[in-house]
Amino acid sequence: LRQGRAGVDLIAVLALGGTLAVGEYLAGALIALMLATGRTLESAAQRRASHDLRALLEHAPRSARRRTDTGVETVALDRVAAGDLLVVGAGEVVPVDGRVESTEAVLDESVLTGESLQVVRPRNEPVRSGVVNAGGAFELRATATEEDSTYAGIVRLARQAGAESAPVVRLADRYAAWFLPLSLLVAGAAWLVSGDPVRAVAVLVVATPCPLLLAAPVAIVSGLSRASRLGVVIRDGGALENLGRARTLLLDKTGTLTGGRPRVLDVAAAPDTTPAEVLRLAASVDQYSPHVLARAIVDTARERGLALPVPTDVTEEPGWGATGTVEGRRVSVGRVDAAAGRPAWARAVENRALLDGAAVAWLTVDGEPAGAVLLRDPVRHDAPRTLRALRASGISRLLMLTGDREAPAREVAAVLGLDGVRAELTPAGKVAAVREERERAVTVMVGDGVNDAPALATADIGVAMGAHGSTASSEAADIVLTTDRVDRLGDAVVIAQRARRIAVQSAAGGMLMSLAAMAAAAFGLLPPAAGALLQEGIDVAVILNALRALRVDRSARPTLT
């Protein structure tokens, strides 16, 4: 009332005032008890529903053990810098993203991936923060600070998910728009016809819409929690509700439909340089890029034993590539302007890429083309099945948006049976395509990489694949898949639809029972005290129904051959 908002809980205030006015003190006490126990029930149900989200927060490491010249010291996590050598003991949580420095590491990645099988990571393999060391102690070379590590980004999302469930407020206000006037009308009519103010109070007592205020939030938070157990962290209830209503899905190609682990197919060089030099310079600049193609180039250079100098003045233009100064020369790696003339060796590289369906990262040194790295990324083995599952769950339109060339993009789209493909798009082009699709239906955009961040932010629901640290893509997203498995998105859609269905079902069911009780009270069949007790029973019933969203519904997952 102080804030000037008349919501559904105004009925509870009127009911309390009414019981005082007509001397129905037992009914007034029962309403107060009903509201207090309702809130206790709600907080208990919320705790149960948000168990998996809380587990993510409590799992976050607080400190790290850093190896120095004098031994091993325990330091606060915010004091760890990229390049530090850390020791991860048996059973400890990996504190920051890094690379294995020991022979190998045996890890339990179930917190991020939902998979219980242990994974062996050999030397130089990347390891994400938040996973548990399931073997002996190993050394880890930090590649990111705490703030920029994978798990920190997931924890931030989990905190937001637990803090607010936006659609429930909208749902309550939507129903309140007609339920509040209706309740007052029925109460007034009962008083007018019977001449008994107690009947009006009895109507207001059973109209107190606790089911609406309690059940929907519990169902939504249950859905958020259930999704997080599968490695799908959803920012808030609004994203969950929208995901359940989505009809169009837009997907990036690299890292989403394809494996996201491209390999260098070949390295081509201009006549006056060597392939090894091309790879060395390209990898040097790409050391600071989070893009999957850049990671593949750097990994290949390291496998071949090339010493990579540290570049300076590195900048990256999303969708085009990275530029930096290496050994006094200005080096760029990525796309180049197609309108510029190409030498004969470059045209041969383009033909080879066309035949092999490969992506090309061009290298220019001081503005002149010096070489090219050809990379190929195979289609994910789980992509066809996932897209069928998404269609079965109600997604009617599937499109690919990619910055890659037209030919390989159309090849992947044909293999997967997509409804359309838009290739050679800049980040601005992706944003325009997302806006166009949003005008037709609720739209989901799935991407991996900095160049997808604007499109993720533009879509109704942005989904970041893999959460490789808190890159721009995972910061802009509403949903982060903490495992590089696109099939989890299909599971998340089913969970979202079920949670939303149960939320609406619980709220609507509770409201119908309240309406029936209001009718009985209006005819004098339900005194205020009995009405308050009945309302308490309705509360318990709808909250228990809302907790069903925590269970795994086997029938909800589409059956696929």
Side-chain angles (χ1 to χ4, degrees):
L1 287 174
R2 193 164 57 242
Q3 292 169 357
R5 283 192 292 112
V8 282
D9 42 1
L10 184 60
I11 298 173
V13 176
L14 293 173
L16 281 167
T19 54
L20 285 172
V22 299
E24 285 279 351
Y25 302 124
L26 175 61
L30 284 171
I31 291 172
L33 179 68
M34 176 182 74
L35 290 169
T37 54
R39 285 179 181 170
T40 306
L41 275 171
E42 180 190 22
S43 60
Q46 288 268 18
R47 279 197 302 276
R48 171 74 187 89
S50 60
H51 173 267
D52 296 294
L53 291 170
R54 281 203 323 279
L56 279 173
L57 301 179
E58 290 162 5
H59 183 76
R62 303 281 187 273
S63 61
R65 290 193 288 165
R66 182 166 61 191
R67 187 179 289 286
T68 62
D69 295 336
T70 56
V72 177
E73 61 175 358
T74 301
V75 296
L77 212 52
D78 57 8
R79 287 178 55 198
V80 174
D84 285 355
L85 186 61
L86 308 177
V87 177
V88 183
E92 291 182 355
V93 177
V94 173
V96 294
D97 291 355
R99 287 182 178 273
V100 178
E101 283 283 310
S102 304
T103 309
E104 65 176 26
V106 181
L107 304 170
D108 173 5
E109 299 185 346
S110 57
V111 171
L112 297 186
T113 65
E115 299 289 348
S116 57
L117 294 176
Q118 293 178 356
V119 178
V120 177
R121 299 282 181 204
R123 185 180 176 85
N124 281 329
E125 270 279 298
V127 174
R128 292 186 286 168
S129 58
V131 304
V132 177
N133 180 10
F138 71 93
E139 291 186 337
L140 179 86
R141 181 72 65 183
T143 57
T145 61
E146 175 208 7
E147 193 176 325
D148 293 330
S149 287
T150 299
Y151 205 69
I154 292 167
V155 165
R156 278 196 291 276
L157 278 180
R159 281 206 180 99
Q160 289 172 349
E164 183 182 359
S165 295
V168 179
V169 178
R170 294 203 303 273
L171 196 69
D173 289 342
R174 215 180 298 149
Y175 283 128
W178 62 266
F179 194 78
L180 179 60
L182 178 68
S183 303
L184 295 174
L185 190 67
V186 173
W191 189 357
L192 192 67
V193 171
S194 68
D196 184 3
V198 174
R199 284 198 189 183
V201 172
V203 169
L204 291 176
V205 167
V206 293
T208 306
C210 285
L212 180 61
L213 299 172
L214 305 182
V218 169
I220 294 292
V221 174
S222 295
L224 296 175
S225 190
R226 176 82 197 110
S228 75
R229 204 182 307 167
L230 290 177
V232 181
V233 182
I234 302 176
R235 192 182 293 274
D236 57 35
L240 186 83
E241 186 193 37
N242 277 336
L243 187 62
R245 298 188 298 120
R247 292 296 171 265
T248 300
L249 183 68
L250 308 175
L251 302 114
D252 179 41
K253 182 171 83 75
T254 306
T256 304
L257 291 173
T258 56
R261 293 187 179 275
R263 302 298 301 166
V264 171
L265 193 66
D266 197 7
V267 180
D272 55 348
T273 188
T274 63
E277 180 66 3
V278 168
L279 184 60
R280 187 180 75 89
L281 292 173
S284 297
V285 174
D286 273 342
Q287 287 178 94
Y288 293 108
S289 173
H291 198 279
V292 287
L293 295 180
R295 287 199 297 273
I297 292 171
V298 173
D299 289 344
T300 303
R302 287 194 172 126
E303 284 167 13
R304 297 185 185 182
L306 299 177
L308 304 182
V310 177
T312 57
D313 303 326
V314 178
T315 59
E316 182 160 6
E317 186 179 347
W320 283 93
T323 302
T325 302
V326 180
E327 297 171 341
R329 293 180 289 176
R330 199 66 181 154
V331 177
S332 296
V333 58
R335 288 171 65 181
V336 291
D337 188 357
R342 298 274 171 83
W345 67 268
R347 289 197 297 274
V349 169
E350 285 182 326
N351 290 337
R352 166 83 190 277
L354 197 63
L355 288 169
D356 291 339
V360 184
W362 295 97
L363 179 79
T364 61
V365 178
D366 293 330
E368 293 296 320
V373 183
L374 281 76
L375 304 103
R376 185 159 189 183
D377 191 9
V379 173
R380 287 177 179 270
H381 66 86
D382 60 343
R385 181 183 178 86
T386 300
L387 297 184
R388 292 203 305 278
L390 286 164
R391 285 195 192 276
S393 65
I395 302 290
S396 56
R397 185 167 164 79
L398 293 165
L399 296 177
M400 183 205 296
L401 306 182
T402 179
D404 285 359
R405 290 177 301 105
E406 184 96 11
R410 289 204 173 278
E411 184 184 329
V412 171
V415 167
L416 296 176
L418 299 179
D419 297 314
V421 58
R422 296 195 186 181
E424 299 183 26
L425 291 177
T426 61
K430 287 186 179 182
V431 168
V434 170
R435 283 192 179 131
E436 190 180 317
E437 292 298 328
R438 273 188 71 183
E439 291 174 5
R440 299 194 186 107
V442 177
T443 299
V444 182
M445 171 70 195
V446 187
D448 171 37
V450 175
N451 59 324
D452 297 320
L456 295 184
T458 305
D460 293 303
I461 312 108
V463 181
M465 285 288 298
H468 291 296
S470 55
T471 58
S473 57
S474 53
E475 291 294 313
D478 303 295
I479 299 171
V480 170
L481 305 184
T482 62
T483 172
D484 280 324
R485 285 184 52 181
V486 74
D487 63 328
R488 293 295 195 218
L489 183 60
D491 295 334
V493 170
V494 172
I495 288 169
Q497 289 174 340
R498 186 165 184 265
R500 187 173 183 274
R501 188 168 62 247
I502 290 173
V504 172
Q505 181 190 89
S506 298
M511 303 281 276
L512 287 172
M513 287 189 278
S514 291
L515 286 170
M518 282 164 61
F523 286 106
L525 303 175
L526 199 63
L533 285 171
L534 177 64
Q535 188 66 30
E536 183 79 353
I538 293 172
D539 289 354
V540 173
V542 294
I543 283 176
L544 289 175
N545 182 62
L547 281 172
R548 285 193 305 120
L550 273 178
R551 290 207 319 268
V552 182
D553 184 7
R554 298 292 175 193
S555 64
R557 181 189 271 259
T559 304
L560 299 172
T561 57

